[in-house]
Amino acid sequence: MESASPFASGPPRQRPSMVPNPTGVVQTPLVGRSMAPSSSVPLTSPFGSALPGFSRPAATPFASRPPPPGAIPQGPIAGNGPRIPGFTAPRTLPPPSVQPAPPSAASSSIRQPTPYASATQDSGLQSYPGSPPSGASVATLPMPFVGPPASQQFGRPPTSQPLFSGPPRSQPPFAGAQYLQRPMAGSTNSQLPLAGLPTSQSPFLGPPTSQPPFTGPPTSQPPRPNTPQPPFAGLPTAQQFGGPSTQTLTGPPISQFVGPPTSQPYAGRSSSPSQMATPSSQPFSMPPTVGTSFGSPVWPSQPGQMVPSLPGNVQAPPRMFGMPPGMPGQPIPPVLPAMGHSALAGPQVSTQSKIDPNQIPRPLPNSSITIFETRQGNQANVPPSATSIFVVKDNGNCSPRLMRCTLNQIPCTGDLLSTSSMPFALMVQPLALPHPSDDPIPVVDFGESGPVRCSRCKSYINAFMRFIDHGRTFVCNLCGFTNETPRDYLCNLGPDGRRRDADERLELCKGTVEFVATREYMVRDPMPAVFFFLIDVSLNAIQTGATAAACSAISQSLADLPDGPRTMVGIATFDCSIHFYNLRRASQQPLMLIVPDIHDVYTPLHTDVVVPLTECRQSVEQLLESIPSLFENNKVSDSAFGAAIKAGFLALKPTGGKLLVFQSVLPSVGIGSLSSREAEGRTNVSAGDKEAHKLLQPADKTLKTMAIEFAEYQVCVDIFITAQTFVDIASISVVPGTTGGQVYYYYPFSALSDPGKLYNDLRWNLSRPQGFEAVMRVRCSQGLQVQEYAGSFCKRIPTDIDLPAIDCEKTIMVTFKHDDKFQENSECAFQCALLYTTVYGERRIRVINLSLPCTSMLTNLFRTADLDTQFACILKQAASSIPMNSLSQVREQITNLCINILHAYRKFCATVSSSGQLILPEALKLLPLYTLALVKSIGLRNDGRFDDRSYWASHVMSLSISLAVPLVYPRMISIHDLTAKENDGSLSSSNIPLSSEHINDDGIYLLENGEDCLIYVGNMVNPDTLQKLFGVTSVDGLPTQLVLQQFDNDFSEKLSVVMNEIRQQRCSYLRLRLCKKGDPSGMHFMSYMVEDKTAGGLSYVEFLVHVHRQIQTKMA
Amino acid sequence: MSEFVDLETQDGVRMTWNTFPGTKQEALSCVIPVAAMYTPLKPIPDTPVLPYSPLRCRICRSILNPFSVVDYVAKIWVCPFCFQRNHFPQHYMSISEENLPAELFPQYTTIEYASSPDTGPKMPSVFLFVVDTCLIEEEIMFLKSALSQAIELLPENSLVGLITFGTYVQVHELGFGHMPKSYVFKGSKEITKEQLLEQMCFFAGRPRPNVGVIAGPRDGLSPESIARFLLPASECEFVLNSVLEELPRDPWPVPADQRASRCTSTALSIAASLLGLCVPGSGARIMAFVGGPSTQGSGSIVSKNLSEPIRSHKDLDKGAAALYNKAVKFYEALSKQLVHQGHVLDLFACALDQVGVAELKVVVERTGGIVVLAESFGHSVFKDSLRRIFQSTDYDLGLAFNGVFEVNCSKDVKVQGIIGPCASLEKKGPLCAETVVGQGNTTAWKMCGLDKKTSLCLIFEIARKDGPESISQHTSNQFYFQFLTYYQHSDGQMRLRVTTLSRRWVTGSADVQDLLAGFDQEAAAAVMARLVSLKMEIEVFNNSPDETAYYRMILNRENVANAVVMIQPSLISYSFHSSPEPVLLDVTAIAADRILLLDSYFSVVVFHGASIAQWRNSGYQNQPEHETFAYLLKAPREEADAIMKERFPVPRLVVCDQHGSQARFLLVKLNPSVTYNSNNPPPPGGDILFTDDVSLEVFLDHLQRLAVQ
């Protein structure tokens, strides 16, 4: 790490200083929650890195400040700069200035207000955001992790430390510190404005101590204002400072934690107002600016249900984000009762007991909007957290929504990468929904000649291709080949060496462009949008109401299909045979054609099974209306699912298209029939545990073989499972998983509460931005090679993946390995090319470019590590390994990965720290928490149903980063006090840690993970509240199947607003479930309290202790 | 001759020899075999239908008949076949010479027994239409209109089902009220009855019996599940009509160089299995309407490629028809299945091309089905024939189902077999001769379908060895036959018709005259025709295999009179000079002032001489003074109508004039005694034939020479 020139030097030493405390045993780390900024906690190196952070401009968008001059890379200037040179080196991030303002106030509440003062001095830190400014904080704690040093941005800070050390006063212990820092920063820059920001900081409290240090390091903010900060925050700073921290550790430390800090975090940053202005919610709202036309999903409500009217929402959003009402000051609840004091007890010395669980790192919500410039000063900016809200200005690198890397600096060598233990992968979400204010993706038409490409590696022209020789040739940034510039693409170079037309030619200045594909890119005319619905009408489906729900959902969704004569639909039903319908007949009455041979399937008609929607809409609607009654007396309980999808495929074979299957029972007959092996597995106890994971593997290869054929003919299968029993999702999910589709799972299906979600899921499935018959390839600079693609697709040749359909939510993970070294100052480029057909039949090539700097310093890797992306990567790897390995192995692998990463950091980047401290890199300070949550997630729990686990695994494989985190670490908010909150119900303001200690009997809590939404009702809830929200007066009167209704009162309306906000944010209607204390449903709810100690798992504090011990063992 | 006709009128039987040669040796030297042409359901006026069960001999199971010797005192009857003495049961106790049961009346040698309500329920007859859709639009229209007419005429209580086919086979579920619904099967794939049971959801929601044959309501199928596909005509008429009305052509595209993809055999197999599942053992007919060659499935007769011609006799002869044997094998299996189930296949083949009648022959013939071959579904031969099947008039076909035919005869007469529309039930017994002809080696035959005219040709063998002593053993020279026909009458009742005959033996040269007197020349011609066509399956010229098969199937089911017409058409002359008179089937019969009426069975030709035609064209028949001419013109037409009314399949009527193009239908049947190169000129107003064929005279000369040598 040290090597990292910039920062390196300084820091290391400093750390040592920090260390001091170590002895102190305790240690608590700095954890605070918020230290936002810099990741680098630990020692030296970290800091080093941290500082640099400043430089990255990106961060704050608006920035009020000017950033950056310093911003620029080396520029040690760090904005704040003044201080320590060391710090200066701001790399990238100039703190934007967004500055969150320093909520000083808040801070005050916390302990150390003072800091500000100091802050000022430090000034450097603009980032308020990162409250955690100076990395210093950190380490303090003894074992526990210390905080995350604010490494990243600050990076360099170390240097500063020295300075600090001295100065630092201890004062600032935690929270306060955070604020302080910002302030300081602010001062310098004036950024303070942001005020709201503090939030982030709050997270870690730890920092306080460090504060002093901060001053110096201030810069820490770097992390860019965006939401992310919170994470890093606190700790780091502290450490950096070293000195201070120590103190903390020692005696006082503990108390520090206790501190108030927490609360603030939530407050959320108010962040720059300006942003607010922007539409905010990405997905939904606004009209997509982007060239691509994606509609925003709307969540129509089902009758009787809450009405999340979208439209409204759209507008609403702004508020949400914007509003972070009075955050700053509010200390909110966090303070809490110190909870788990004892928690740590076991392992460590008594001291531990002092750890305040409220101060250990936790994610902080952030509702402010930042503006992210993808590049600045010819250098890539580190993107904001995937879960935060930001607006992208495409300056040459793609929007991080479309593609982002687990590492924002690329290790020069494979050895460096393996030393870090961190995963190296790209998450590509090629059609991701833009924020309404994002730069639109330009469409570029090269006419008949098609887009210019490198003649060797075939990569597409992009902003990083270097034109030389007066523009007559250009050098490919991916393979290095020198190409001749096509005659009609010639242009002189300007004095800066760029083509004179570089700014007019969007492909030469934007990270993402869409080329109009020429005939050369088509093997046939672009396919029409074809949707074929397959509905289960077996006994079970009819009786549970699943058939009726499916028909009604389809019927209502017809309106959302793309307009135009090219949109085709078909309908078939199935039980133990397949029923097609000839929809185009003179008499208007459909003709039912049954294919009874479910071992050798065929389509009964040549035409008229799939018909143009515009012509046959009426008959389609009539048919859908009559299907439930047609089969109302059906006595067939068997399901020929495999044969049915084969038949549907045959109907779609000539064109390709989407096959949407509604399935209710285990496929029991015909091709691809399955057995109820879950039950068999249970009875066969001996095979039970050891082989249990085999039940997560497909039963056989039949469906896989079929799916590959489907993919070949561009047929994508989505399956809506409305089951009451085991349906073997492990086997079934292979089909969507291979064809670019997905599984929707409603278990146990309820005709009362599920049709709403079914309808909304279907509607979003049909109306979300999507493309057909796609092929995708990711290219990278020489020195790297693609190792593997993971996601929902079919791969027939090694280099490309086939996606019969691709939509805005599907994410593909691409892992890389080194096959050569990079030069220290070079950049490594990635280019994802997606050739697809729009729903309107246009053939397009979306080219997404990302160019990142290479580094040979480990510190830099840690400083710029992207936690959310790494975690998504780990999550996907875990999902793909659970069918292959026993659960305990998988859990161990994950835990070890976490330990190894932290160990690498500890060993190489924080060497100075005391071995008694658990030191977390600022950027990855939540890694232990997420790892713990992952180990306890549905997919990895022993007690899970096999279908639930298989569904979880299949769901995860194509899940986007922004949904991956909440899936594992859900968001919980309280509802009973909704009206008391003044923020109009903005949900981001008050996340509650997932610990049962935060659940009160008189409270109502809402927990959502993007998929399910649990509403937990304590047994002492105020009846008036119940009446207002649910229309009942006692807990006992609550229905088990919940359909939220909106009542005419403020409370209920606010809940609606909150629900709608969540739905929009997740692009999911959410499956509502009511949980009552003392009920099995209550237990279910409690199983999401991942920070609790459970029969099979450690509590969060215990886990930290465990991790720390392991690291210590390794160090020894 | 007329005596033979009288005998036929009484019992529906004609025999080649009405007096039997006494020994095996003598029978052999008679050349013409001892044979009987029996029309089991021939309408016999005044035949009583007895509402009780017949009395049977304890030993040989033959039925009490007028030839039984009755001891009125002891209440005992002696079986004429085995001489067993049987006691009358209690309810015959009042029997006396003055009080005879009908079956003992001497004139009731043919009598019927009907099942009483308690012995068996009335079974509805079942009609399953199997309709080709690989047709041009025009043909489909014709077919639809013919079918909808037929549906209107369906007997009230009958059940109906519909299968259509082309590339796929569609079994229509007529009982599904909500919308037209059908099961679609792949045409290229055979499907077993078991699979059908499975795939058509007959056991939906109920456990299926795990043992035994599953077929029909008695074996576990619910009536509701059967009623999905077969239901009373009155209930489904609307649905059926609407399905037919919208019946599209086969929707799958046919490349220009290919034949349509037509899976006739698969459709028939599915139809057979469906009936086998739903109504086994109960009268049912599959009525197949086929408009072209089968090109898919096991019974295909030609590949889809148009460059490959459909097999000819020559190909069959050389073994060059690769698909033929496979198809025949398939249809043999199908015929076994249908016979086992007691169901009939009727074939209506209407196409200019061959459709595979030759391959299908085995099924149609074994099941006693009806076959009609025409050029188009719009042709009157098809339309009128179809109408005749369902029309109830004096001339209706009297369709009966599910028949079993049994023979009983006195010792020393054995049965070699039957040539005709039936299938052996393989019931072996002492009566079976070692030599087998046609369906032999049995004394019982299945006749899944039969009608008033269905005629069987039984070939007998005289088993007696030489020696007068063998005769003397018997008290008389009389011996007996008993023909038992069990069948489901068109009204649904089960009936048994019993015909008991007695003939006598003659032996030795002394009785040659007796023998000769009993020789029935027409019956012999009909029998020999069947025998010869059976033995000479291949040596054929001038026809396609389909036509050959068609003619033979008709020949094999017709009675003696019609068979003779087929062999030698009748020609009747109408003129002013005489009353209508038969004339020689010779070109010399043609005269300008004659009208000739030719009945060649498949066609009826009214041929106007040149002068007659001229007069007619001048309209003389409309002038009162030429009333006789009008009458002359009308007479042959009325005669032709009479012929057509009675005949099935309805023949083609050709009305033509001398020298007209249609006259060929007459000329082709005439003996070419006067040709373009013969010495004798035609009489004035006569005609000559342009042919190199030899005349009858030349042929006979040749024959005589051969016989003498």
Side-chain angles (χ1 to χ4, degrees), chain A residues 467-739:
Chain A
F467 284 82
I468 55 175
D469 189 17
H470 305 294
R472 281 183 292 228
T473 57
F474 65 92
V475 180
C476 174
N477 61 324
L478 293 156
C479 71
F481 185 71
T482 305
N483 293 275
E484 222 170 275
T485 309
R487 187 172 287 269
D488 53 2
Y489 198 63
L490 272 178
C491 178
N492 280 332
L493 305 184
D496 56 354
R498 297 177 72 222
R499 281 169 59 118
R500 287 181 187 281
D501 64 354
D503 292 332
E504 287 91 62
R505 290 211 177 253
L506 296 171
E507 72 276 13
L508 295 180
C509 62
K510 294 289 183 186
T512 309
V513 291
E514 251 185 29
F515 295 113
V516 174
T518 59
R519 300 287 326 170
E520 197 185 337
Y521 295 89
M522 309 177 196
V523 283
R524 58 173 183 178
D525 284 338
M527 60 183 265
V530 187
F531 302 89
F532 198 93
F533 300 94
L534 256 180
I535 307 164
D536 186 348
V537 293
S538 64
L539 180 70
N540 208 291
I542 294 285
Q543 293 191 343
T544 58
T547 303
C551 289
S552 142
I554 297 168
S555 187
Q556 295 181 68
S557 300
L558 291 176
D560 297 300
L561 292 175
D563 284 335
R566 283 172 59 88
T567 300
M568 320 266 287
V569 294
I571 292 175
T573 53
F574 66 100
D575 44 33
C576 67
S577 53
I578 303 135
H579 325 122
F580 282 91
Y581 298 87
N582 179 346
L583 294 166
R584 184 148 53 179
R585 300 177 78 233
S587 68
Q588 286 290 317
Q589 194 180 26
L591 166 66
M592 189 194 296
L593 297 162
I594 298 176
V595 174
D597 189 343
I598 49 177
H599 297 279
D600 178 14
V601 187
Y602 39 89
T603 52
L605 279 182
H606 175 62
T607 53
D608 301 345
V609 165
V610 177
V611 294
L613 180 59
T614 45
E615 284 177 37
C616 303
R617 179 167 203 142
Q618 222 180 345
S619 17
V620 172
E621 282 171 352
Q622 271 174 11
L623 174 62
L624 287 167
E625 197 176 326
S626 58
I627 283 176
S629 57
L630 284 184
F631 294 95
E632 97 197 297
N633 297 318
N634 196 0
K635 297 286 188 303
V636 180
S637 56
D638 282 323
S639 161
F641 166 81
I645 58 172
K646 181 72 183 278
F649 157 68
L650 291 172
L652 291 177
K653 197 170 170 182
T655 51
K658 290 194 65 148
L659 186 58
L660 299 120
V661 189
F662 298 82
Q663 161 78 359
S664 292
V665 293
L666 182 74
S668 54
V669 291
I671 316 173
S673 61
L674 300 166
S675 66
S676 183
R677 52 188 183 138
E678 184 191 39
E680 289 159 20
R682 274 200 202 113
T683 51
N684 189 357
V685 181
S686 62
D689 282 351
K690 268 195 176 170
E691 304 288 306
H693 61 271
K694 296 215 166 144
L695 292 180
L696 299 179
Q697 297 171 3
D700 59 39
K701 291 187 176 161
T702 318
L703 290 174
K704 177 72 176 179
T705 312
M706 279 167 59
I708 291 173
E709 190 189 2
F710 292 4
E712 191 173 341
Y713 289 91
Q714 311 298 349
V715 172
C716 161
V717 182
D718 288 310
I719 303 179
F720 297 78
I721 299 175
T722 49
Q724 309 293 332
T725 53
F726 176 71
V727 296
D728 200 350
I729 292 180
S731 299
I732 290 177
S733 63
V734 164
V735 180
T738 306
T739 58

Side-chain angles (χ1 to χ4, degrees), chain B residues 143-209:
Chain B
L143 181 52
K144 282 180 188 175
S145 85
L147 286 174
S148 52
Q149 278 190 19
I151 288 165
E152 281 174 26
L153 297 172
L154 281 174
E156 277 278 313
N157 60 345
S158 58
L159 301 181
V160 195
L162 175 66
I163 290 178
T164 56
F165 69 95
T167 308
Y168 289 108
V169 180
Q170 295 191 24
V171 180
H172 297 263
E173 184 174 328
L174 302 175
F176 191 71
H178 304 278
M179 62 170 67
K181 173 178 177 184
S182 62
Y183 285 77
V184 185
F185 296 87
K186 213 174 194 169
S188 53
K189 190 174 172 186
E190 272 182 60
I191 179 163
T192 66
K193 200 150 75 170
E194 277 300 302
Q195 286 172 323
L196 203 67
L197 187 68
E198 191 72 43
Q199 299 186 1
M200 306 255 280
C201 297
F202 278 104
F203 284 99
R206 295 191 305 131
R208 65 177 284 177

Side-chain angles (χ1 to χ4, degrees), chain B residues 630-644:
Chain B
Y631 177 75
L632 181 66
L633 273 183
K634 219 162 65 177
R637 289 299 297 273
E638 283 172 349
E639 179 61 21
D641 287 346
I643 293 171
M644 297 190 34

